[in-house]
């Protein structure tokens, strides 16, 4: 993943839960977790620091008729075919609700866990994808344009930790 590539020395595990601070890795609980959203019962027990807030973007082929735009409303891509992240992504229900609120049901061609394959399919004109800007820019090629969607709220990336636990010295240093 993107975070593992940016910080190879860090222990990195991708977990399905939104804020799984009680999750264990070899018997150890996590001090800090990088997470998009903190929901449910854990939201009451978590503190968090937002480290990145960025627009949600559409990635589409550079030859697409809308590729010259600097930003787009979601309704302008209502007739496109979409490539969504695999089940379990926090972005999927947000995207589906935004489409519903905008008055359309999206055509979903693929649900993939591989960002590399997603961007290969975009280059092959098999669909477009909705992603956070940093992820989209990381995987984009010269044949793909990444354009912010003006109707979406920003996506936040947070560092979460339990409110009532004692953080390790290295975790405290990291937060500083």
């Amino acid at each position: 993943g993107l975070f593992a590539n940016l910080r190879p020395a860090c222990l990195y595990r991708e977990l399905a839960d939104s804020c799984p601070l009680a999750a264990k890795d070899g018997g150890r609980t996590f001090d800090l977790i990088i997470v998009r959203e903190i929901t449910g019962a854990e939201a009451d027990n978590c503190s968090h620091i937002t480290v990145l807030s960025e627009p949600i973007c559409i990635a589409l082929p550079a030859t697409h008729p809308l590729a010259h735009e600097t930003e787009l409303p979601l309704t302008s891509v209502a007739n496109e075919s979409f490539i969504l992240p695999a089940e379990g992504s926090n972005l999927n229900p947000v995207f589906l609700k935004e489409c519903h609120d905008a008055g359309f049901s999206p055509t979903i061609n693929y649900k993939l866990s591989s960002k590399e394959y997603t961007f290969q399919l975009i280059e092959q004109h098999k669909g477009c994808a909705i992603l956070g800007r940093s992820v989209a820019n990381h995987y984009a090629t010269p044949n793909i344009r990444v354009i912010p969607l003006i109707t979406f709220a920003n996506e936040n990336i947070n560092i979460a930790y339990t409110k009532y636990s004692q953080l390790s010295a290295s975790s405290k240093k990291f937060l500083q």
Side-chain angles (χ1 to χ4, degrees):
L2 179 60
F3 289 111
N5 292 340
L6 294 174
R7 300 280 187 246
C10 292
L11 173 64
Y12 175 82
R13 299 286 183 266
E14 190 163 333
L15 303 168
D17 296 334
S18 61
C19 185
L21 287 166
K24 299 206 182 265
D25 179 52
R28 293 185 1 220
T29 57
F30 293 100
D31 279 353
L32 304 172
I33 292 184
I34 298 172
V35 63
R36 286 187 173 86
E37 186 177 359
I38 303 165
T39 59
E42 285 199 318
D44 294 334
N45 298 320
C46 291
S47 292
H48 72 280
I49 299 168
T50 300
V51 293
L52 177 66
S53 183
E54 63 181 1
I56 299 296
C57 297
I58 186 162
L60 43 78
T63 57
H64 191 283
L66 296 172
H68 66 281
E69 298 292 334
T70 57
E71 59 185 18
L72 292 167
L74 183 60
T75 54
S76 68
V77 294
N79 294 322
E80 300 297 327
S81 297
F82 291 93
I83 304 164
L84 294 185
E87 294 299 326
S89 167
N90 289 335
L91 188 54
N92 290 355
V94 173
F95 171 67
L96 294 173
K97 181 186 180 316
E98 291 282 341
C99 291
H100 179 266
D101 291 350
F104 71 95
S105 294
T107 301
I108 301 168
N109 281 0
Y110 302 93
K111 287 188 178 181
L112 304 171
S113 58
S114 168
K115 299 288 187 281
E116 292 89 353
Y117 189 48
T118 296
F119 280 82
Q120 288 173 9
L121 290 174
I122 294 168
E123 284 186 325
Q124 297 168 13
H125 300 261
K126 305 277 185 183
C128 53
I130 306 294
L131 305 122
R133 181 174 52 199
S134 61
V135 172
N137 285 336
H138 178 77
Y139 289 100
T141 69
N143 299 322
I144 294 175
R145 285 272 293 129
V146 175
I147 304 170
L149 291 169
I150 58 176
T151 49
F152 265 85
N154 280 359
E155 177 180 48
N156 294 330
I157 305 294
N158 304 288
I159 296 176
Y161 53 95
T162 55
K163 286 181 182 175
Y164 308 108
S165 67
Q166 184 67 22
L167 294 176
S168 68
S170 58
S171 293
K172 288 178 186 176
K173 180 95 172 142
F174 181 83
L175 290 174
Q176 293 173 349

